[in-house]
Amino acid sequence: MERYNHRDAEPRWQKVWDEHNCFSAKEDHTLDKYYVLEMFPYPSGRIHIGHVRNYTLGDVIARYKRAKGFNVLHPMGWDAFGMPAENAAMERKVHPATWTYENIAAMRAQLQSMGFSLDWSREFATCDASYYRHQQAMFIDFLEAGLVERRLSKVNWDPVDQTVLANEQVIDGRGWRSGALVEQRELTQWFFKITDYAQDLLEALDGLDRWPEKVRLMQQNWIGRSEGLHMVWQLIDVPDNISQSTIDLYTTRHDTIFGASFCAMAADHPLAKQLAEDNPELTAFIQECQRTGTSEEAIERAEKKGFDTGIKARHPFDENLEVPLYVANFVLMDYGTGAIFGCPAHDQRDLDFARKYGLNVLPVVIPDNETASTYYVGDEAYLGPGSLGNSQFLDGMSVDEAKSCVADRMEAISLNGTSQGHRTVNYRLRDWGVSRQRYWGCPIPVIHCEKCGTIPVDKSELPIKLPEDIAFDKPGNPLDRHETWLATTCHQCGGPARRETDTMDTFVDSSWYFLRFCSPHEEEVPTDLDAVNYWMGVDQYIGGIEHAILHLLYSRFFTRAMRKTGHTTTDEPFEGLFTQGMVTHETYRHDGAWLSPEEVTIVSTEDTRTAVRADTGEAVQIGSIEKMSKSKRNTIDPDDIIELYGADTARLFMLSDSPPERDIIWTEAGIEGAHRFVQRIWRLVNEAAAVMAPRADAPQLELEGPSSELRRASHRMLDAVSSGIESLRYNTAVAQIYEYSNTLAAALRAQGNGTDPAWASAVREGVEFLIQAIGPMMPHLAEECWSVIGHDSLLAETPWPSCEPALLVDDQVVIPVQVNGKRRDEIKIAKGAAKEDVEAAALGADGIQRAIGDKEVRKIIVVPDRIVNVVVS
RNA sequence: GCGACCGUGGUGGAAUUGGUAUACACAACAGACUUAAAAUCUGUCGACGCAAGUCAUGCGGGUUCAAGUCCCGCCGGUCGCACCA
């Protein structure tokens, strides 16, 4: 028998599937649908192993659901805008569009060589004008619905690249590309008002019961709801040139209000800025605050610093209590009101600050084992529960009682005619700044007209296409310098106007592509409501955990915004979410330089494992196992694996052993093991084909008799594989298949060339089940085997077989018997046997008799069909 | 610092969700076939013990007839957030 030749079989079956149009989703909206989607790739040039894992995980469920009779939508596209294309343009003098579309072509071919069951007829790239024109139309819809705003905002500005950087692109205070010190700048930016949906996005997390708990928690923390009190304090000794006589404070610890010993506002608080105008010292302090980096380290090391403004703030419940107002470096302008009262005894930052400036530290929440008069707070603020003390009318209350009492009183008393406080809810979530000063993104469809102001373009002018003739010879946004593109006419007044040169954050592109897949060729509007109604939401979405917040939260917001503007009918885009682990590999170093796996030979002996350079034989240091990355040079090229071992082997390796949510370590031994199993299945099927019942014969399947044991194993395997796939526990499904192939091989060996027609039928059934079970995982091998056993039809078009329930249950069960919780023997007994019979059988077993000896039996616990425990004293 | 998750053989991992701990695989070892190697097949494989058995799921307690699984406290690791008042 010839070895299975993947080089021949894989392209052949891919062609057949393509010719039969096996994987295009049907436009029949009366069928049960299943929408499975993996996060679409950025066309960086080549697919990497992480893609192979991602799309394999999705393809298994797609092929399985198709076999189960669902109308499956499994599309693919390209998240094609972004910085790398511009970097390539600058480095290699190639147009971003050329670079991107060439990469797409190369990567499409790679994905096709993996045999993924994708509906390529729905493919698009987000940089296609036919896609982004609809994004522009929706931007205008959002603007009209009040979901978009243009306002001044602080941004990270890279002075060398002359662009805004996202927080993630600022490393240790420097631009990730240029290495230049990042400046804080105020720029007019476009924002999506995601904060309008903060409460809804938070509450709806509860309904996402097929999302990982971890991701829901991360989003919950990111949204960061806190319930607090907004209040107004009177200011005293305000300089004459300042009109402000009160300050707005925000707190969540209003119970500690009698412990307040100072107030503090952010360095960029409007009052601080006003005061700084004629105060050089304060100006210098504010500048110092702004210089402090935003990196984690900088914040951790930064000392609490303040500047006493000389102004006093009057305590709302105690006219005689006046506390100093500081400008402080640890107060954030963009949270709450940008100003706080400090209660040092019960907040660590306030305590550090108070100790530095010699401010009063008065404990007001007294732990149960302390008394108010003697309780001393040292260098650690007390954050725990207790009863109020040193707090006038609050004394004796719990923290919660005191909070609600303070809130009631503040709401009741008035200052200058309005209530001095009100309960309020704050979120950490910020509005989504979508402006990017880049060329390779979706142009924001807005013009600036001297007469009419900043207005959206008329929808009839869409798409606002990117100009093609651009140069990347200078840093910054080339759109700013493209005069013929910039100059336009205002559609309202007919006067001259200039185009907006900001383009949209690429996260906008990926926030609705899953909706576009439902009707990718719709020209008039972004989505066909009929199609969206039928296909959405995505039943199973699969991607990396790194998108737990940004992409997944933006998409949830965008879907809501699209619903509000009439482009879809549901709020939640992804009903099921699965976050897969990374693919990792060992790292190798020699003389400080990283070496790729091909440059290294591993030398293994019985108990050592070392590495040498493949070319020179010099010793190589084996480093830690890390995520595959170009910088560590520990990547594996999927093309090499497909060529050497085949797509099915690569797919099997991705599915076996490690649970999909966990990181998987790529090893040569592992991929070879997977390849051996591919060959083993091939041999097994061919051997079985020689002895099993021919296809033409009427099957002579029996529920009892000699062949039923094999049949039980077959049906149990199929059942276990089905549930393993449905719950995405692919590693256990693969283990079932391994185990079954051992069983089937042993059965063939035992029976020899038996001629019992019932047995031959059972073998045929078992082989067919085996092929069906591997179908979603190793589709080419399965298709080849399917034809070997005499089928003319395609496995890809064959329904999933159903199990015979009678074969899934045994009429006899083996149950372990314990004595005092330790297993001593086991008994074989009829399933569902009466308790008394089970007890009798258990007590009769040799091992049990021996273990009991002369001790007294006190109790026998029988868990039906499970276990027996004999308790002796 | 706060929050979440995880610690099971030499290795990846399984365990019906409180009911036979270590399925399946990798590695290793022994054997068969072969002139030889590869491939393939067979067997062994948590520790100690000749055995009966004893001990083993990071460590220490607890609940229970029964704990890898539940509770409390440590230790170690991974991830997320982080001056959010």
Side-chain angles (χ1 to χ4, degrees), chain A residues 10 36 61 288 419 450 556 653 681 688 715 821:
Chain A
E10 292 184 348
V36 56
I61 196 92
E288 191 194 326
S419 162
E450 272 177 42
R556 294 181 64 220
F653 177 78
I681 292 280
H715 285 253

Side-chain angles (χ1 to χ4, degrees), chain A residues 583-588 597 624-626 628 634 636 665-666:
Chain A
V583 184
T584 60
H585 195 283
E586 257 177 1
T587 50
Y588 309 104
S624 58
I625 292 165
E626 306 209 36
M628 287 192 188
N634 60 339
I636 298 287
I665 304 168
W666 182 277

Side-chain angles (χ1 to χ4, degrees), chain A residues 146-157:
Chain A
L147 293 165
V148 178
E149 252 178 29
R150 186 166 183 258
R151 62 175 121 98
L152 208 58
S153 143
K154 269 203 308 192
V155 294
N156 302 307
W157 180 261

Side-chain angles (χ1 to χ4, degrees), chain A residues 498-787:
Chain A
R498 292 177 77 75
R499 290 196 185 284
E500 170 65 62
T501 57
D502 283 354
T503 53
M504 291 184 219
D505 181 3
T506 55
F507 276 107
V508 180
D509 312 334
S510 55
S511 288
W512 70 286
Y513 76 106
F514 41 87
L515 283 154
R516 184 66 184 170
F517 276 140
C518 300
S519 54
H521 308 299
E522 170 62 48
E523 287 181 14
E524 298 304 313
V525 288
T527 54
D528 175 274
L529 282 182
D530 232 23
V532 157
N533 235 338
Y534 172 66
W535 288 113
M536 288 298 287
V538 176
D539 294 276
Q540 188 65 63
Y541 195 37
I542 307 175
I545 186 76
E546 65 272 21
H547 296 108
I549 294 173
L550 293 181
H551 164 58
L552 291 168
L553 193 61
Y554 291 152
S555 297
R556 294 181 64 220
F557 157 72
F558 214 87
T559 304
R560 282 164 170 77
M562 282 177 70
R563 185 184 186 180
K564 188 176 181 185
T565 49
H567 296 299
T568 187
T569 53
T570 53
D571 279 345
E572 286 298 338
F574 313 121
E575 279 165 24
L577 173 68
F578 190 88
T579 51
Q580 105 234 11
M582 297 182 305
V583 184
T584 60
H585 195 283
E586 257 177 1
T587 50
Y588 309 104
R589 298 190 87 157
H590 178 243
D591 269 355
W594 300 103
L595 295 179
S596 73
E598 303 93 76
E599 295 170 311
V600 170
T601 306
I602 302 291
V603 186
S604 289
T605 64
E606 208 166 308
D607 43 19
T608 62
R609 192 166 168 280
T610 56
V612 296
R613 281 189 69 132
D615 48 357
T616 62
E618 292 168 278
V620 166
Q621 187 189 340
I622 298 182
S624 58
I625 292 165
E626 306 209 36
K627 177 181 181 174
M628 287 192 188
S629 72
K630 279 180 194 158
S631 61
K632 300 269 167 67
R633 300 202 63 208
N634 60 339
T635 55
I636 298 287
D637 188 344
D639 274 0
D640 296 345
I641 301 300
I642 294 168
E643 159 61 22
L644 199 55
Y645 299 103
D648 284 339
T649 296
R651 293 169 63 120
L652 177 63
F653 177 78
M654 289 300 174
L655 297 168
S656 49
D657 291 345
S658 282
E661 69 275 12
R662 235 178 274 183
D663 287 354
I664 188 170
I665 304 168
W666 182 277
T667 62
E668 196 68 17
I671 194 77
E672 279 170 6
H675 189 63
R676 275 201 297 272
F677 188 66
V678 166
Q679 295 295 348
R680 212 170 136 227
I681 292 280
W682 176 245
R683 279 194 309 274
L684 183 59
V685 167
N686 279 279
E687 280 163 24
V691 296
M692 69 192 188
R695 234 191 110 222
D697 283 9
Q700 303 197 19
L701 295 167
E702 51 185 24
L703 289 176
E704 281 166 29
S707 71
S708 70
E709 205 174 319
L710 175 60
R711 292 200 67 210
R712 281 180 193 284
S714 310
H715 285 253
R716 264 201 296 266
M717 177 276 293
L718 189 74
D719 186 55
V721 169
S722 303
S723 63
I725 291 177
E726 297 215 18
S727 55
L728 286 107
R729 287 159 21 158
Y730 296 144
N731 55 321
T732 60
V734 170
Q736 292 292 336
I737 291 171
Y738 270 102
E739 196 166 4
Y740 178 72
S741 69
N742 290 340
T743 305
L744 183 60
L748 291 179
R749 231 177 296 126
Q751 188 79 9
N753 285 321
T755 48
D756 175 8
W759 184 78
S761 293
V763 171
R764 165 162 282 277
E765 179 188 60
V767 170
E768 297 207 343
F769 279 14
L770 178 64
I771 295 169
Q772 299 243 17
I774 64 167
M777 303 168 181
M778 295 169 276
H780 312 88
L781 171 68
E783 204 71 77
E784 189 80 1
C785 290
W786 196 245
S787 88

Side-chain angles (χ1 to χ4, degrees), chain A residues 307-325:
Chain A
F307 185 95
D308 190 346
T309 61
I311 298 174
K312 303 273 187 259
R314 175 173 289 151
H315 195 280
F317 295 141
D318 187 347
E319 289 219 333
N320 302 317
L321 184 57
E322 290 171 5
V323 298
L325 173 64

